[in-house]
Amino acid sequence: MPIQLPKSFEKSDEKLRDIDEELTPQEIVAELDKYIIGQKAAKKAVAIALRNRYRRRRVPSELADEIAPKNILMIGPTGVGKTEISRRLAKLTASPFLKIEASKFTEVGYVGRDVESIVRDLVRMGVDMVKQEKMEEVQEKAVANVEEKLLDLLLPPLRRRDNSVSEEEYQRFNETREKLRKQLRDGALEERMVEIEVKERMAPPFEIFSNQGVEEIGIQIQEILPGFLGGKAKKRKMKILEAREFLIDEEQRRLIDMDQVARLAIERVEHSGMVFLDEMDKIAGRESGHGPEVSREGVQRDLLPIVEGTTVNTRYGLVKTDHVLFIGAGAFNVAKPADLIPELQGRFPIRVELTSLNKEDFVRILTEPENALIKQYIALLETEDVRVEFTPDAIDEIAQIAEEVNRDSEDIGARRLHTVMEKVMEEISFKAPNVKLKNIVIDKKYVQGQLKEIMKDQDLRRFIL
């Protein structure tokens, strides 16, 4: 589902439209409600941020450059929907989206990963998205071209040294070709062997460390020396069924202008890119002159230019981050947002607190969303012709147990439901292929029976649930 782009972008690709042109903030929240229970404040904040991007693209260009995105900081325990909100929002708008843990930048000594790799990864995703869209656009043309190529392989064109081909021969040739075309379209020739020219797949790019961070150089070398990392052409025999897929993929790549793809991807990243910075609380801390705190503050200062707006040199060109939306998240149960350096705090003006989940929330999570856990287990077991039904009291009991375990041990939010549900369904999932009873009703008694021993033993519960 493509997105609206700046005017310069629209001229080059008029088909692209923006979902948020149609969705109001209320409708965006309604879409998020299909997958995430509760957390109205967080949904409202991201819906407004998304709509503001649409609004910014419609103000005069000289003012639009001055309107900075209002970055959001989500504060709340794990498993309450922080990541899911951002991920669903990105899917909703088909925006280039990157999720990365802020603590990644502290893993290696005091340096860690280069923060500019965030932008490089985001651009790579943008290129993949635009490339996929362009491939879909040329799909029809590629299929038609490949059909002609396959016919040429099955019936090579008439060639004579003196170019003398009689009208009768030419007509006979065309009739045979059309018969083959019909057989090809009807699928009658799928098992026929043909010989095609195949380029060897390029070896994975390798990395070097430079003053701009870690760079992949495999593709650049491949462009300069085609045979250095693979890419040599060789003949291969394969069935038409396999050859068609291979040739369509190759033809689509040939029809795509990668320079245009790169340019469109950069514009999309600059105006619609989203970065989800998880574990922000892990880098919150001030310098005390010793220990890991030095590293944490250093990471904050490295992130600051990216969040404020800077220009990053990537494989596809220079990318500005001035209008990339950053969504920070963290539990902040030890550190507080105030422990971040003031400059970084100022770059996350919108703060939303996500609440812990209770039993009622768990019941809704199990049943309401389109990807609800219970719906997933029912669908999985239906593949084995086993029909499972959960009674309301069974769902209530699962939610109650999840709430109790979260309260008595670590609160991991909705992720606790995965643990409890897996234990409840363990026996059925194990025996499903051979079970004789194809209609199974799971009630409160069954749930208690599966979890009784674990719930009694506190130590066992700590390790298993």
Side-chain angles (χ1 to χ4, degrees):
M1 202 177 295
I3 62 170
Q4 176 78 24
L5 297 158
K7 296 297 179 187
S8 61
F9 202 138
E10 286 175 5
K11 290 175 186 174
S12 57
D13 194 355
E14 294 178 358
K15 290 183 181 178
L16 289 176
R17 296 173 59 253
D18 195 350
I19 184 84
D20 63 7
E21 188 175 352
E22 301 171 1
L23 293 179
T24 64
Q26 295 96 322
E27 289 169 333
I28 292 168
V29 170
E31 287 294 320
L32 294 174
D33 283 341
K34 292 178 182 178
Y35 299 96
I36 302 139
I37 297 300
Q39 314 304 356
K40 292 292 182 187
K43 291 175 186 173
K44 187 177 178 181
V46 295
I48 292 169
L50 184 66
R51 190 66 180 181
N52 279 341
R53 301 178 124 194
Y54 162 72
R55 292 165 180 157
R56 185 184 72 82
R57 289 196 288 271
R58 275 148 185 77
V59 301
S61 57
E62 60 275 8
L63 183 59
D65 288 339
E66 302 298 324
I67 300 174
K70 304 300 184 288
N71 298 323
I72 301 165
L73 186 62
M74 294 185 184
I75 304 160
T78 185
V80 296
K82 299 189 293 294
T83 307
E84 190 67 7
I85 286 172
S86 300
R87 195 166 63 85
R88 291 291 172 186
L89 195 69
K91 276 191 175 181
L92 193 61
T93 60
S95 300
F97 174 75
L98 177 70
K99 176 187 181 293
I100 194 161
E101 288 78 28
S103 55
K104 288 277 184 188
F105 303 105
T106 62
E107 285 181 353
V108 185
Y110 283 98
V111 181
R113 281 190 68 187
D114 171 25
V115 292
E116 290 188 354
S117 65
I118 292 173
V119 183
R120 287 193 285 270
D121 290 346
L122 192 63
V123 171
R124 197 177 294 120
M125 289 180 178
V127 167
D128 289 343
M129 286 177 65
V130 177
K131 186 177 174 183
Q132 189 60 40
E133 288 169 12
K134 292 291 181 186
M135 286 179 82
E136 288 173 9
E137 283 178 23
V138 300
Q139 170 83 12
E140 194 174 329
K141 187 176 180 181
V143 169
N145 290 354
V146 166
E147 185 179 83
E148 298 301 325
K149 284 185 178 181
L150 289 172
L151 287 170
D152 287 344
L153 291 169
L154 291 166
L155 184 67
L158 288 172
R159 286 197 183 100
R160 295 275 178 85
R161 286 185 180 180
D162 55 359
N163 292 325
S164 59
V165 178
S166 68
E167 186 66 31
E168 188 182 342
E169 284 179 311
Y170 186 71
Q171 189 175 349
R172 200 161 50 241
F173 171 81
N174 277 342
E175 286 175 1
T176 308
R177 189 177 176 93
E178 290 309 308
K179 284 179 183 176
L180 284 170
R181 189 191 301 277
K182 186 178 186 307
Q183 289 178 328
L184 199 60
R185 289 179 178 177
D186 292 343
L189 304 175
E190 297 296 272
E191 298 298 313
R192 180 84 68 88
M193 300 296 289
V194 290
E195 188 177 63
I196 64 171
E197 202 173 71
V198 179
K199 284 185 179 178
E200 293 175 355
R201 294 293 181 189
M202 191 189 74
F206 52 91
E207 297 178 339
I208 60 167
F209 287 91
S210 69
N211 58 349
Q212 294 182 342
V214 180
E215 290 287 351
E216 291 176 356
I217 63 169
I219 290 174
Q220 289 92 325
I221 292 178
Q222 174 68 16
E223 290 167 356
I224 300 166
L225 303 170
F228 185 68
L229 293 174
K232 289 181 180 178
K234 63 177 182 180
K235 298 280 188 180
R236 263 188 66 191
K237 283 191 175 182
M238 59 177 74
K239 294 176 182 177
I240 282 180
L241 180 65
E242 300 167 4
R244 184 187 288 108
E245 290 180 16
F246 184 87
L247 290 171
I248 286 174
D249 183 62
E250 193 177 66
E251 188 67 16
Q252 283 177 312
R253 293 175 190 277
R254 190 185 66 79
L255 291 169
I256 291 171
D257 180 357
M258 281 308 295
D259 289 336
Q260 185 196 34
V261 167
R263 179 172 57 80
L264 299 183
I266 286 174
E267 288 200 46
R268 183 173 295 192
V269 166
E270 288 183 337
H271 294 276
S272 302
M274 295 173 63
V275 175
F276 183 77
L277 279 171
D278 206 1
E279 298 183 357
M280 286 281 285
D281 54 324
K282 303 293 191 300
I283 62 165
R286 303 294 182 83
E287 275 189 30
S288 61
H290 64 277
E293 292 181 2
V294 180
S295 174
R296 289 203 293 265
E297 183 163 338
V299 172
Q300 291 180 61
R301 295 200 180 280
D302 285 346
L303 283 170
L304 190 59
I306 304 290
V307 180
E308 280 183 333
T310 189
T311 302
V312 177
N313 188 15
T314 73
R315 179 192 306 160
Y316 302 99
L318 297 174
V319 179
K320 293 181 178 178
T321 65
D322 300 66
H323 299 291
V324 173
L325 178 66
F326 288 86
I327 301 175
F332 288 100
N333 48 9
V334 177
K336 299 291 179 282
D339 293 330
L340 295 167
I341 60 174
E343 299 92 327
L344 197 59
Q345 287 184 50
R347 286 293 161 177
F348 288 89
I350 301 173
R351 310 279 175 86
V352 288
E353 188 170 352
L354 285 82
T355 55
S356 294
L357 301 171
N358 56 29
K359 178 185 170 183
E360 288 71 28
D361 293 325
F362 287 149
V363 170
R364 293 181 63 201
I365 289 168
L366 285 168
T367 55
E368 289 183 20
E370 292 190 3
N371 61 339
L373 264 181
I374 282 178
K375 294 176 185 176
Q376 291 179 29
Y377 277 99
I378 289 172
L380 284 171
L381 289 167
E382 273 182 357
T383 63
E384 306 270 11
D385 294 324
V386 176
R387 283 161 290 283
V388 177
E389 182 188 342
F390 288 81
T391 62
D393 62 345
I395 295 169
D396 196 75
E397 183 67 13
I398 290 167
Q400 178 69 40
I401 290 169
E403 185 185 43
E404 284 178 17
V405 178
N406 269 351
R407 186 175 60 241
D408 296 342
S409 54
E410 287 292 325
D411 185 356
I412 59 171
R415 294 189 180 98
R416 186 70 69 187
L417 288 173
H418 290 267
T419 314
V420 176
M421 279 291 294
E422 194 60 36
K423 201 63 191 170
V424 169
M425 300 299 295
E426 188 176 52
E427 281 300 309
I428 295 173
S429 297
F430 182 73
K431 295 176 180 177
N434 305 313
V435 72
K436 292 180 181 178
L437 185 65
K438 294 296 184 180
N439 293 295
I440 300 172
V441 177
I442 295 175
D443 56 13
K444 181 177 179 179
K445 186 178 178 182
Y446 180 85
V447 172
Q448 289 175 336
Q450 292 298 106
L451 300 175
K452 182 173 60 177
E453 295 304 319
I454 299 171
M455 292 301 291
K456 278 182 184 177
D457 190 328
Q458 291 289 336
D459 291 330
L460 197 59
R461 181 167 69 174
R462 187 178 296 113
F463 287 110
I464 293 179
L465 295 181

